């Protein structure tokens, strides 16, 4: 993990994302780029003013949360479509991870329209960390959703590399009872995916995945949910599955999404 990109909207939610990026960058010796995209629909003279003010604002935010002067930081404020421009900045800086602040919920519009955050996660070629909570401490206890897919294997592998000191728990949810079959399939998946043998045995929960997360989160101290963006096959690697979309729209904690 050498280059981290934060997509900011200048809100307090994005401030949490910047602080989390700085924590991870310090742990991995990585650089941090913070990007804010100015709406291309603005008149040119207004867009130029917003660019200038946004750059000043982002620099102030970085100064407030970067204790180490040796940490490499960069600010980019392009004009255009937010999804397109964030993708281009990510490619330009060769980002290994995209970090976002979780969007402000809109109870009506979120039901009928894809959020900007969902669009960013869906189009990103990098794994994405969606930040809900203040970055007051390193992640300590991860919860990984496992549906025995390649995407979930990538998610577990990413989490262990990004946060090697954190505890990790796995769960596999199923609507009907087939515990023995699930255990057998999990053992096969573990071997095929080439994951480490030191992973803890998963919790097998007879419930919908969304309900399983709710149940587990209530009873434990997990501070990060880890999942694949699209779970069933590599064909949908840049799509969001139903479970992923549900978690992104109603995050129970910070979320790490592998692609």
């Amino acid at each position: 993990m050498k280059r981290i990109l934060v997509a900011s909207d200048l809100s307090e939610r994005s401030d949490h994302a910047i602080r989390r990026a700085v924590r991870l960058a310090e742990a991995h010796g990585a650089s941090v780029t913070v990007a804010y995209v100015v709406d291309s629909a603005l008149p040119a003279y207004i867009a130029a003013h917003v660019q200038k003010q946004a750059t000043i604002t982002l620099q102030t935010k970085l100064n407030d949360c970067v204790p180490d002067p040796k940490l490499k930081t960069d600010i980019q404020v392009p004009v255009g479509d937010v999804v397109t421009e964030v993708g281009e900045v990510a490619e330009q800086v060769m980002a290994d991870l995209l970090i976002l602040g979780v969007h402000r919920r809109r109870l009506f519009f979120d039901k009928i329209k894809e959020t900007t955050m969902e669009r960013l996660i869906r189009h990103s070629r990098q794994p994405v960390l969606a930040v809900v909570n203040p970055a007051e401490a390193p992640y300590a206890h991860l919860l990984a959703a496992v549906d025995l897919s390649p995407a979930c294997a990538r998610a577990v592998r990413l989490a262990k590399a990004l946060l090697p000191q954190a505890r990790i728990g796995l769960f596999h949810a199923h609507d009907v009872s087939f515990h023995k079959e699930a255990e057998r399939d999990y053992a096969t998946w573990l071997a095929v995916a080439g994951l480490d043998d030191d992973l803890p045995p998963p919790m097998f929960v007879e419930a919908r995945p969304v309900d399983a997360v709710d149940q587990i989160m209530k009873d434990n101290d997990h501070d990060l949910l880890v999942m694949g963006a699209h779970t069933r096959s590599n064909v949908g690697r840049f799509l969001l599955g139903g479970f992923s979309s549900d978690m992104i729209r109603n995050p129970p904690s910070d979320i790490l999404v592998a692609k």
Side-chain angles (χ1 to χ4, degrees):
M1 187 63 58
K2 294 301 181 184
R3 291 166 289 273
I4 298 172
L5 171 63
V6 184
S8 171
D9 64 2
L10 306 183
S11 68
E12 183 178 354
R13 300 180 302 277
S14 291
D15 293 351
H16 296 335
I18 293 173
R19 290 186 180 277
R20 181 58 68 184
V22 169
R23 277 191 173 276
L24 290 172
E26 290 173 336
H28 289 273
S31 63
V32 177
T33 297
V34 183
Y36 171 76
V37 180
V38 179
D39 191 345
S40 58
L42 293 173
Y45 73 96
I46 295 179
H49 176 73
V50 173
Q51 276 185 300
K52 181 179 179 180
Q53 293 303 313
T55 301
I56 294 171
T57 299
L58 289 176
Q59 188 61 65
T60 300
K61 291 177 182 293
L62 273 173
N63 291 343
D64 288 343
C65 64
V66 179
D68 184 357
K70 295 181 181 179
L71 183 68
K72 294 182 179 179
T73 63
D74 179 39
I75 294 170
Q76 298 207 26
V77 187
V79 178
D81 170 73
V82 62
V83 174
T84 301
E85 295 300 329
V86 168
E88 290 185 0
V89 172
E91 293 299 316
Q92 176 187 333
V93 303
M94 296 184 290
D96 300 305
L97 178 69
L98 172 63
I99 302 184
L100 311 170
V102 170
H103 78 290
R104 176 175 54 85
R105 291 188 64 194
R106 302 167 303 171
L107 294 179
F108 174 71
F109 288 106
D110 284 357
K111 293 181 181 297
I112 63 175
K113 185 178 180 181
E114 187 178 42
T115 66
T116 300
M117 187 172 66
E118 284 178 283
R119 291 173 59 216
L120 283 167
I121 294 174
R122 179 162 57 82
H123 286 275
S124 175
R125 292 184 175 276
Q126 296 77 28
V128 181
L129 175 62
V131 177
V132 179
N133 300 312
E136 296 175 350
Y139 293 120
H141 195 183
L142 320 181
L143 176 65
V146 173
D147 74 341
L148 315 184
S149 68
C152 283
R154 287 192 292 270
V156 172
R157 200 174 289 114
L158 170 65
K160 288 178 66 65
L162 185 63
L163 304 161
Q165 303 305 318
R167 291 179 293 150
I168 186 168
L170 312 178
F171 80 94
H172 177 65
H174 46 89
D175 288 327
V176 296
S177 180
F178 63 109
H179 194 106
K180 290 184 178 179
E181 292 85 349
E183 287 183 330
R184 178 199 61 206
D185 292 343
Y186 172 78
T188 301
W189 172 78
L190 198 64
V192 171
L195 294 171
D196 294 338
D197 294 334
D198 63 351
L199 287 172
M203 294 174 278
F204 294 96
V205 184
E206 190 176 334
R208 295 186 311 129
V210 172
D211 295 332
V213 169
D214 185 58
Q215 175 184 330
I216 296 168
M217 286 286 188
K218 283 181 179 178
D219 298 334
N220 296 274
D221 60 349
H222 299 96
D223 49 16
L224 181 66
L225 177 64
V226 179
M227 62 186 185
H230 187 79
T231 55
R232 288 302 175 186
S233 73
N234 283 325
V235 175
R237 190 171 179 179
F238 297 104
L239 300 176
L240 291 178
F243 170 68
S244 301
S245 291
D246 285 342
M247 292 296 97
I248 291 165
R249 290 183 177 223
N250 300 286
S253 66
D254 291 7
I255 300 175
L256 179 63
V257 184
K259 304 307 290 283

